[in-house]
Amino acid sequence: MLEVRNVSKWFGGNPVLKDISFEIHKGEIVGLIGPNGAGKTTLFNVISGFYRPKTGDIFFQGENISRLTPEDICRRGLCRTFQITKPFSNLTVFKNVVIGALSREKGIREAENKAEEILELVEMTPKRDLLGRSLTIADRKRLEVARALATSPDLLLLDEVMAGLNPNELKEMIALVKKLSQRGITLFVIEHIMTVIMGISHRIIALDHGEQICVGSPCDVAEDPKVLEAYLGEDYVAP
Amino acid sequence: MSSTLVVQLVISGILLGGIYALSSIGLTLIFGVMKIVNFAHGEFLMLAMYVSFWLFHWAHLDPYLSMLISVPLFFIIGILTYKVFIKKTIGAPILSQIFVTVGLSIIIENLALLFWSADFRTVSLSYLSRPIILGPFSGLGLEEIIVNKARLIAFILGISLSIAFYLFMRFSYLGKVIRATSQDRTTALLMGINIDRVYTISFAMGILLVGIAGALMIPIYTVHPFVGFEFVLIMFVVVVLGGMGSIVGAVVAGLFIGVVEVFSGFFIGPESKQAVYFLVFIAVLVLKPSGLFGEKGEEELERIEAIGE
Amino acid sequence: MSSGGKRDGIILLAGMAVFALLPLFVKNDFYLDGFILIFVWGAFAGAWNIISGYGGMVSLGHNAFFGIGAYTSTLLFLRQGVSPWIGMWAGAAIASALGIVLGVICFRLRSHYFALATLAFGQVASIIALNWRGLTEGAEGLTLPIRPGFAKMIFATKLGYVYMGLGLLVAVLLITYLIDNSKLGYYLVAFRENEDAARALGVRTGRVRLAAMAISSALSALIGSFYAQYLLYIDPSSVIRIQIAVQVALFAIVGGVGTVFGPFVGALIFIPITIFLRARLGTALPGLHMVIYGGILILVLFYMPKGIYGMLRERFFPSSRIFK
Ligand SMILES: Nc1ncnc2c1ncn2[C@@H]1O[C@H](COP(=O)(O)OP(=O)(O)OP(=O)(O)O)[C@@H](O)[C@H]1O
Ligand SMILES: [Mg+2]
């Protein structure tokens, strides 16, 4: 479904992504891990069209999308959320989601119906009339997901939607992610909490300093010396 | 076109540019630090010109000496303006940010009209009346070059003050704090910098600089309530061309625009010279909106959040 | 429709009836002028509101579009004998083409930079109007022959202008209402609130901005043409100077940006203040009315960021489908 081929990205003189290649298949949940500053969000920005890759191509459902704009990529069924949430602050939760639905629905009416449905799915119906700026962190993250879902994506990129949640909220979010996967949405998920990402992903990609250090099943990745090194420092793996 | 003419125009342009540079530094400082365009900047300049005018008129105080009064006065005016008006707009929607200072400019301009009428007023100083004549430099093939004294004084003081201000920002503790805040407000906050104080002082300094510029300009220009608007447009051009927030940029761009204005005034005519630098302005906004010396991406920077009490 | 909806409909109809019928009973030309000005400025503020209120792209150059409308229809009539009914559309076409060009070249600019770019654009337009004497007669201005005639869009009585002004106002309100209820309106608001988020959700922000710019500038030009027909004499200071751009924004903001009726409410408040002060003071205290304008503007920005209409709506018609 998604194929990333030899993608690299530089900021000024600094390589932030170096020759990244991997594939994501329909129906999978793929985790993306790596220490802070590894380039995870940048990879999402490149895939979703916010940045142009310096080299390499990205194919989504067979089409090269590496030169498309974010809006056109979204309309093809690939949507992303933002790590630093970007709600429409002065609009209600409901209207936030309606806007998400509009690009795929025929008219306002249809988009409103769709939004109702999505709010029900993510269990935010009681908060539909709150303004974007008045939401808690957990609700902002949830709204990010809801809006993205409203665009009817085939592939959804989730950027740390579980960061900063309390254990209860975390549990709900995990359940939601699983629910989405069951609905047939392919998921590509950035997450820092190892137990969580290991638990939900079918496969995991690990980045460090812009390099793809490992791809594989959660077990493989967890035991990979390069991953341990990236997270825990050289000394730890040395012996 | 004779080489004397070219040299004469360049010199006049650079002298003019020195004035533009000084008056624009305050604007660029305010934008750099708090990401607010002070649309009332020209009106503060106009006030400064009036202050020097009235001090001359009533107390026979030489405009250059009136700076001694203008400096503290405009510093205080700056602090009050910040506390009463500007502070509330930090982190507010863009519309409020723009129109609070637009509203302020309308009020100041029309209060000036109300109290001082639309009369054009000038200060003429006898010791400035005769121009300096340089040359002829027969070795260089140049004839006499005429230099207006008031403009020369304004240029020398303007550029010296600009350099002094640049050094202050670069090397003094306060200057470093201000620069740190303008680069990364969040980190500055984490380092224990009192953002509100930095904003207050920056804004007040911006107004103070324009206060000095007013005193330097009154021997050259007539003052009337609408003069601020004429100058603020030029200041915008200078500040954007130099890169919003860049002091060096404002000086270089000020000199450049001065030269452009003199040349286009001479060749195209005084009425249309404005159009020329506005076209420069639009071209800069289109081609390199970050300006000559601005930080790239500044024009796309997100707004900063409100100051907590 | 709920009973609340019915109530709102009745209020709207009653309001419209007042503005449609009241002028019939006003015999004083001075007050009829007031109606015309309210309609012209209400409509113009509404046009500004489409790009700057809904889209959040603050324009300080709408004087250019207004002036282009005024000059185009007037010049076409004077030089080519083209009826203003046609000339006004030519003005609208030119204005919206320029609006689109401006939108394209300012594509990357955000917030303050866009405002400054439009300010420069407006200023260039007014400099051109002042200095291209061969075309515009510069500061001397252009005079339309006073002989009335429907084909010339010159009415014998003020009432003709009152109703045409009202028609323009209603058209602008209707267009705004339709935008507010369409994808374009939602997209504009999404763009205003957060461009990255909007794009990530599939909003083609580039097109949306240009569409809003085209509509807003075309409407401004149409109103400018009408205003020229009403004045029968135009010069740069009456139709294209920069203060016009500031004033139209001021009316819209005080009334309430990003709403359908807010800009009109702004004109409804300010025009009578102006007329009252002018009647009371004449030329005695020049600038006083502008001081008051500026003061009201700042007070509204600080204490009623949604504007006067915005605040009233929140209080009395929070979820009305009519009072948007
Ligand atoms: N717009 C930018 N300009 C310059 N450098 C950038 C930009 N965005 C990110 N970077 C740099 O690229 C590197 C990767 O950043 P990125 O945000 O992709 O990391 P991340 O893996 O998402 O980290 P985190 O876990 O903290 O979210 C970092 O060193 C960051 O400083
Ligand atoms: Mg990240």
Side-chain angles (χ1 to χ4, degrees):
Chain A
M1 163 164 275
L2 181 77
E3 191 190 346
V4 172
R5 252 189 233 163
N6 308 107
V7 161
S8 64
K9 169 77 196 166
W10 292 51
F11 282 120
N14 309 320
V16 180
L17 293 176
K18 301 176 205 158
D19 200 27
I20 309 284
S21 298
F22 60 87
E23 263 184 77
I24 291 178
H25 307 289
K26 192 164 169 42
E28 271 188 316
I29 302 183
V30 177
L32 179 61
I33 63 169
N36 288 114
K40 304 180 297 292
T41 299
T42 306
L43 180 59
F44 269 24
N45 281 330
V46 171
I47 295 175
S48 59
F50 280 90
Y51 297 147
R52 286 273 128 86
K54 182 174 145 94
T55 63
D57 290 296
I58 298 156
F59 293 87
F60 178 61
Q61 295 180 331
E63 182 189 8
N64 189 341
I65 58 165
S66 49
R67 307 260 158 255
L68 297 183
T69 58
E71 49 269 36
D72 288 336
I73 291 174
C74 171
R75 282 161 185 265
R76 283 167 169 72
L78 193 168
C79 193
R80 57 86 59 92
T81 67
F82 292 96
Q83 176 178 1
I84 300 167
T85 55
K86 299 175 188 282
F88 301 128
S89 315
N90 296 308
L91 307 183
T92 60
V93 165
F94 180 64
K95 213 160 176 189
N96 266 271
V97 182
V98 170
I99 288 168
L102 276 173
S103 67
R104 287 294 193 103
E105 302 297 322
K106 232 167 96 210
I108 309 282
R109 258 290 118 70
E110 291 84 352
E112 283 179 348
N113 294 337
K114 171 101 185 188
E116 301 277 10
E117 215 176 278
I118 301 278
L119 285 179
E120 201 61 46
L121 179 74
V122 304
E123 291 164 21
M124 281 190 88
T125 308
K127 299 184 170 134
R128 73 194 293 276
D129 292 326
L130 296 182
L131 291 184
R133 62 160 178 251
S134 67
L135 298 178
T136 61
I137 292 284
D139 282 333
R140 280 172 187 238
K141 301 257 173 188
R142 201 166 267 260
L143 178 60
E144 283 282 328
V145 179
R147 270 190 332 198
L149 274 180
T151 68
S152 313
D154 300 310
L155 172 61
L156 183 55
L157 313 186
L158 299 176
D159 194 348
E160 298 199 20
V161 288
M162 305 187 198
L165 305 191
N166 68 34
N168 217 7
E169 294 162 345
L170 185 61
K171 224 181 276 165
E172 289 174 7
M173 190 56 96
I174 295 171
L176 176 60
V177 170
K178 287 185 175 158
K179 193 154 50 163
L180 300 183
S181 181
Q182 276 157 19
R183 292 185 142 225
I185 300 175
T186 311
L187 294 164
F188 190 20
V189 186
I190 297 179
E191 206 39 76
H192 272 303
I193 314 166
M194 278 305 152
T195 49
V196 170
I197 194 83
M198 294 292 172
I200 57 174
S201 312
H202 302 129
R203 278 191 310 135
I204 289 194
I205 297 167
L207 288 186
D208 183 30
H209 292 299
E211 255 166 292
Q212 180 178 334
I213 53 176
C214 171
V215 186
S217 73
C219 301
D220 297 346
V221 171
E223 283 163 14
D224 191 296
K226 280 201 231 144
V227 176
L228 293 176
E229 186 185 315
Y231 272 94
L232 304 167
E234 240 166 282
D235 300 342
Y236 186 83
V237 239
Chain B
M1 186 164 108
S2 78
S3 50
T4 306
L5 179 61
V6 174
V7 173
Q8 176 72 61
L9 290 179
V10 169
I11 288 178
S12 307
I14 288 177
L15 293 185
L16 180 65
I19 298 170
Y20 290 168
L22 180 67
S23 51
S24 307
I25 287 179
L27 189 61
T28 211
L29 171 73
I30 291 169
F31 182 83
V33 176
M34 50 193 99
K35 312 295 176 234
I36 281 183
V37 176
N38 180 18
F39 282 89
H41 214 68
E43 277 62 38
F44 286 107
L45 177 68
M46 177 265 289
L47 279 185
M49 291 171 77
Y50 268 114
V51 166
S52 294
F53 170 81
W54 289 116
L55 285 172
F56 177 79
H57 190 79
W58 295 114
H60 304 290
L61 188 63
D62 188 285
Y64 298 115
L65 291 178
S66 71
M67 264 189 253
L68 296 175
I69 294 173
S70 293
V71 165
L73 177 66
F74 278 83
F75 193 73
I76 293 168
I77 291 179
I79 291 178
L80 292 177
T81 309
Y82 175 78
K83 294 279 182 210
V84 178
F85 298 100
I86 308 298
K87 185 173 175 177
K88 290 200 182 78
T89 74
I90 309 269
I94 177 76
L95 207 69
S96 314
Q97 292 198 339
I98 292 177
F99 282 97
V100 166
T101 57
V102 169
L104 213 52
S105 78
I106 296 176
I107 293 175
I108 298 174
E109 181 181 282
N110 288 285
L111 281 177
L113 178 64
L114 205 52
F115 286 115
W116 302 322
S117 84
D119 294 351
F120 284 47
R121 299 171 200 269
T122 45
V123 168
S124 53
L125 298 168
S126 54
Y127 64 87
L128 294 177
S129 60
R130 296 233 325 275
I132 301 171
I133 298 182
L134 303 173
F137 306 96
S138 42
L140 298 168
L142 295 178
E143 288 158 44
E144 289 172 347
I145 306 278
I146 299 162
V147 176
N148 178 305
K149 273 189 202 152
R151 287 180 188 268
L152 184 65
I153 294 172
F155 173 80
I156 292 172
L157 281 175
I159 291 295
S160 323
L161 284 167
S162 302
I163 293 171
F165 185 71
Y166 174 76
L167 295 175
F168 163 77
M169 287 296 282
R170 184 122 199 115
F171 296 111
S172 74
Y173 177 72
L174 184 57
K176 284 179 185 166
V177 167
I178 291 175
R179 282 191 302 134
T181 309
S182 70
Q183 274 164 19
D184 187 342
R185 181 179 171 275
T186 319
T187 311
L189 199 63
L190 291 172
M191 305 301 280
I193 290 175
N194 182 338
I195 301 282
D196 188 39
R197 170 116 31 95
V198 170
Y199 283 3
T200 313
I201 291 173
S202 306
F203 192 84
M205 281 199 302
I207 300 303
L208 176 159
L209 286 167
V210 96
I212 296 174
L216 292 177
M217 285 163 74
I218 191 69
I220 307 172
Y221 294 98
T222 49
V223 60
H224 54 90
F226 308 106
V227 80
F229 181 70
E230 287 167 23
F231 281 111
V232 84
L233 290 174
I234 300 172
M235 290 189 228
F236 286 147
V237 178
V238 169
V239 165
V240 169
L241 178 62
M244 290 235 224
S246 164
I247 294 166
V248 178
V251 173
V252 175
L255 297 178
F256 176 73
I257 290 297
V259 173
V260 167
E261 175 170 336
V262 168
F263 270 85
S264 52
F266 186 83
F267 290 106
I268 308 175
E271 318 86 32
S272 306
K273 67 184 183 191
Q274 263 203 323
V276 172
Y277 53 68
F278 277 118
L279 294 176
V280 171
F281 185 54
I282 293 179
V284 172
L285 283 171
V286 172
L287 301 175
K288 196 166 185 309
S290 53
L292 299 176
F293 294 83
E295 280 176 40
K296 195 157 176 265
E298 184 88 85
E299 76 283 2
E300 298 180 0
L301 219 66
E302 285 190 32
R303 287 183 298 102
I304 47 185
E305 276 139 40
I307 295 181
E309 284 298 316
Chain C
M1 197 181 271
S2 64
S3 60
K6 221 177 253 166
R7 177 197 67 170
D8 295 351
I10 292 169
I11 294 175
L12 181 68
L13 284 177
M16 277 168 56
V18 168
F19 284 104
L21 300 177
L22 198 56
L24 291 176
F25 301 99
V26 175
K27 291 287 166 269
N28 185 332
D29 273 2
F30 184 74
Y31 291 114
L32 285 178
D33 270 334
F35 276 97
I36 296 166
L37 287 175
I38 288 172
F39 297 154
V40 164
W41 282 94
F44 187 23
W48 181 87
N49 180 42
I50 291 172
I51 184 74
S52 301
Y54 281 90
M57 304 184 70
V58 178
S59 164
L60 290 173
H62 262 53
N63 59 316
F65 303 126
F66 190 78
I68 285 167
Y71 272 103
T72 306
S73 61
T74 304
L75 284 170
L76 279 176
F77 179 70
L78 290 178
R79 306 275 153 86
Q80 307 290 331
V82 176
S83 160
W85 292 104
I86 295 166
M88 69 195 292
W89 295 101
I94 294 172
S96 77
L98 277 173
I100 289 172
V101 169
L102 189 66
V104 168
I105 64 176
C106 298
F107 202 73
R108 286 157 57 202
L109 302 183
R110 301 286 173 282
S111 54
H112 295 290
Y113 287 81
F114 182 80
L116 289 176
T118 52
L119 179 67
F121 170 74
Q123 189 67 10
V124 169
S126 81
I127 293 169
I128 291 174
L130 204 52
N131 292 313
W132 190 356
R133 297 210 179 77
L135 184 73
T136 64
E137 305 288 343
E140 270 153 48
L142 299 164
T143 308
L144 285 160
I146 309 193
R147 282 182 312 279
F150 186 77
K152 291 185 283 181
M153 204 198 281
I154 296 173
F155 304 115
T157 66
K158 294 252 177 206
L159 270 184
Y161 290 105
V162 167
Y163 286 110
M164 177 150 178
L166 181 60
L168 276 172
L169 172 69
V170 170
V172 169
L173 291 177
L174 193 66
I175 289 169
T176 312
Y177 185 81
L178 292 174
I179 290 176
D180 191 298
N181 284 291
S182 72
K183 284 191 176 184
L184 178 60
Y186 280 74
Y187 287 164
L188 268 176
V189 171
F191 166 75
R192 176 188 77 200
E193 294 292 318
N194 192 312
E195 181 176 10
D196 281 343
R199 301 185 70 192
L201 296 172
V203 177
R204 290 180 173 135
T205 50
R207 276 185 215 186
V208 165
R209 287 155 75 176
L210 292 187
M213 197 72 189
I215 297 172
S216 173
S217 46
L219 288 174
S220 303
L222 290 176
I223 299 156
S225 294
F226 169 69
Y227 192 59
Q229 294 300 123
Y230 165 59
L231 294 182
L232 294 177
Y233 164 75
I234 60 170
D235 64 354
S237 104
S238 61
V239 295
I240 202 165
R241 72 192 161 129
I242 199 82
Q243 282 80 356
I244 290 175
V246 173
Q247 181 162 329
V248 74
L250 191 149
F251 287 7
I253 292 169
V254 170
V257 290
T259 63
V260 174
F261 294 96
F264 166 60
V265 171
L268 197 54
I269 292 166
F270 274 110
I271 298 293
I273 295 179
T274 317
I275 292 176
F276 173 78
L277 287 176
R278 197 169 292 155
R280 279 318 270 289
L281 302 171
T283 51
L285 294 172
L288 180 64
H289 76 281
M290 289 306 290
V291 174
I292 293 173
Y293 276 18
I296 294 178
L297 174 65
I298 291 180
L299 287 175
V300 166
L301 285 170
F302 282 164
Y303 301 109
M304 281 184 233
K306 297 196 167 151
I308 290 170
Y309 170 78
M311 195 192 60
L312 292 175
R313 182 185 59 160
E314 215 154 74
R315 179 105 173 65
F316 298 108
F317 312 99
S319 54
S320 168
R321 290 228 166 223
I322 290 176
F323 291 106
K324 291 206 130 185

